[in-house]
Amino acid sequence: MTRAAFDYTAFASAALDQLRADGNYRYFAELKRERGSFPVAIDRSSGAQRPVTVWCSNDYLGMGQHPVVLEAMHRALDETGAGAGGTRNISGTTHAHADLEAELADLHGKEAALLFTSGYVSNWASLGTLAERLPDCVVLSDAGNHASMIEGIRHSRAEKRIWNHNDLADLERHLAGIDPCRPKIIAFESVYSMDGDVAPIAEICDLADRYGALTYLDEVHAVGLYGPRGGGIAERDGLMDRITIIEGTLGKAFGVMGGYITGPASIVDFVRSFASGFIFTTALPPAVAAGACAAVRYLKTSQAERAAQKAKVAQVRARLDEMGLPHLENESHIIPVMVGDPVKCKFISDELIRRYGIYIQPINYPTVPKGTERLRITPSPVHSDADIDHLVAALSELWAQCCIARQPLAAQ
């Protein structure tokens, strides 16, 4: 008897149905950004077009709309055309790429920088290459690290030890148990994107010095936002010289696209020469690189955007406290408003956009652990006082409708 062939589409459909039943299926709202209108966008998801206010963008400072960035991109497009023409190794290295890498190295006080097509690729390629090629390497990865770091380490097939999130005692316990002669990489982030908490960078550097480890710091949620020139938490705390490799993105506070690493020239060149994720990937369009370069240069000198964003974050937190709406306390710009139920989290997100014209994506498992479902709010300098009033009032009404516990003022 002939056995029936495996039904691939049925398998996929059943898995998707389970995601929907669990409240974890990801729906994408079709938003049209309009120049000069951020944080307002046009929602096209239901066929009809209507304005919505975006409260969850990673364009933290609105630089994706900034005239300095747009002018640089238009100028580069007119001068160079659209694409880069190939990988960096073939014909894709342009003056715009070299110019941007020089600006990024300067931003972090490093000898060299290397540009990738995204922050994900920069982590995956760099960590994967270093961990694979350093002989008998051990990678010590913070338990809260981003998927791009995890995948890079996994791809390397190097020994991996996961230390408890921001737990210095646990990190040292692991380090003390490793042969002092073995290469070691401590991989961690400065600002963690879901909880918004910040790593104890100085103390991690102390341990790295004591045990002879290379430090790899992901600053994607901090570059542009912290430090006198936007170099991130390490710059803010005067620690950039103690970090071996600083990785960042151009797609968040800098408002464009791309990822990068900075560090000693020999290590950066090593990654450039051996990382398949760099070697075999078409380069970013020169206009994108030019726009990112303009954003980096601008934020090295302008404090206005950072100061305004910090004020808006404090304002939103205070208003949430007034309403008893629970949010995780942290020192960063990320405000996780805690729902604690995937179905309710999805319902609140849907109702916010449907009834109130507010767009905030629900953050459910597996992005966060079950029971910690949340709305991740990221105030920007261009959110108005009226925007904040509308957001807090809408959340308060939906909290009551969903019978979610509030946080007593005295407990805050």
Side-chain angles (χ1 to χ4, degrees):
M1 177 181 287
T2 302
R3 296 180 61 187
F6 187 84
D7 192 333
Y8 301 97
T9 58
F11 174 81
S13 295
L16 293 171
D17 287 343
Q18 188 61 53
L19 273 181
R20 294 185 184 94
D22 294 340
N24 293 326
Y25 182 78
R26 299 171 190 264
Y27 295 89
F28 293 160
E30 183 186 342
L31 301 181
K32 179 184 177 184
R33 287 165 64 101
E34 294 191 329
R35 178 176 178 174
S37 298
F38 185 78
V40 175
I42 302 300
D43 177 26
R44 299 163 57 101
S45 304
S46 60
Q49 300 190 34
R50 62 196 184 102
V52 295
T53 302
V54 179
W55 275 100
C56 56
S57 174
N58 284 342
D59 187 356
Y60 292 132
L61 300 177
M63 291 301 294
Q65 303 285 314
H66 200 284
V68 168
V69 175
L70 301 185
E71 288 166 11
M73 295 185 74
H74 279 295
R75 185 167 58 251
L77 186 64
D78 291 339
E79 292 175 355
T80 68
T87 67
R88 293 283 299 277
N89 298 281
I90 296 176
S91 62
T93 296
T94 70
H95 175 67
H97 297 101
D99 205 18
L100 175 54
E101 286 174 340
E103 285 292 339
L104 292 169
D106 173 76
L107 176 66
H108 295 290
K110 300 297 185 185
E111 292 178 345
L114 186 64
L115 181 63
F116 294 83
T117 52
S118 72
Y120 190 104
V121 174
S122 60
N123 270 334
W124 178 85
S126 301
L127 274 173
T129 299
L130 290 167
E132 177 187 16
R133 291 186 171 269
L134 289 172
D136 200 23
C137 182
V138 183
V139 183
L140 299 104
S141 178
D142 185 287
N145 278 345
H146 188 264
S148 58
M149 304 174 79
I150 295 168
E151 287 300 321
I153 297 165
R154 179 181 297 153
H155 178 75
S156 75
R157 298 182 181 178
E159 181 182 346
K160 175 181 66 175
R161 301 196 183 186
I162 300 173
W163 48 288
N164 297 333
H165 178 53
N166 280 349
D167 186 334
L168 295 167
D170 193 47
L171 173 58
E172 182 164 22
R173 179 180 66 82
H174 283 288
L175 286 166
I178 300 171
D179 185 334
C181 295
R182 292 182 69 182
K184 295 170 282 290
I185 300 173
I186 302 175
F188 63 108
E189 302 180 37
S190 58
V191 177
Y192 288 84
S193 63
M194 289 300 116
D195 287 352
D197 54 338
V198 175
I201 299 176
E203 292 81 359
I204 292 172
C205 290
D206 291 342
L207 291 175
D209 292 344
R210 189 178 308 158
Y211 291 96
L214 178 154
T215 46
Y216 183 103
L217 174 62
D218 177 320
E219 288 254 44
V220 297
H221 292 278
V223 290
L225 299 170
Y226 301 91
R229 301 198 307 159
I233 297 292
E235 185 197 24
R236 184 197 71 177
D237 296 347
L239 298 169
M240 290 194 299
D241 62 318
R242 301 191 63 191
I243 303 294
T244 314
I245 298 173
I246 296 176
E247 183 266 351
T249 184
L250 304 164
K252 293 182 171 61
F254 293 126
V256 192
M257 178 185 178
Y260 63 89
I261 60 167
T262 64
S266 60
I267 294 180
V268 172
D269 195 17
F270 180 87
V271 174
R272 183 191 69 87
S273 299
F274 290 106
S276 62
F278 173 82
I279 295 169
F280 299 106
T281 301
T282 298
L284 286 172
V288 172
C293 193
V296 172
R297 284 176 178 156
Y298 176 84
L299 288 173
K300 283 180 179 179
T301 59
S302 176
Q303 303 298 326
E305 290 77 13
R306 287 190 280 273
Q309 189 220 29
K310 186 176 181 179
K312 293 296 183 183
V313 170
Q315 188 177 352
V316 172
R317 285 190 180 278
R319 295 296 307 281
L320 292 172
D321 287 341
E322 290 173 7
M323 294 292 183
L325 298 173
H327 58 97
L328 292 183
E329 292 293 339
N330 59 55
E331 61 175 291
S332 77
H333 57 284
I334 296 168
I335 305 178
V337 177
M338 306 305 291
V339 179
D341 179 276
V343 176
K344 289 182 178 180
C345 195
K346 177 67 169 57
F347 173 81
I348 291 173
S349 174
D350 289 345
E351 291 300 286
L352 281 171
I353 195 168
R354 186 180 70 85
R355 288 165 48 187
Y356 302 96
I358 293 172
Y359 177 66
I360 309 175
Q361 271 284 38
I363 307 295
N364 288 348
Y365 177 85
T367 305
V368 295
K370 292 180 179 179
T372 69
E373 293 80 9
R374 66 198 65 183
L375 301 171
R376 178 181 176 274
I377 296 175
T378 54
S380 78
V382 290
H383 282 101
S384 68
D385 291 347
D387 290 334
I388 296 173
D389 290 341
H390 184 52
L391 169 69
V392 174
L395 286 173
S396 184
E397 290 175 12
L398 290 169
W399 235 250
Q401 182 177 346
C402 292
C403 299
I404 303 174
R406 297 186 186 241
Q407 189 171 349
L409 186 61
Q412 296 168 16

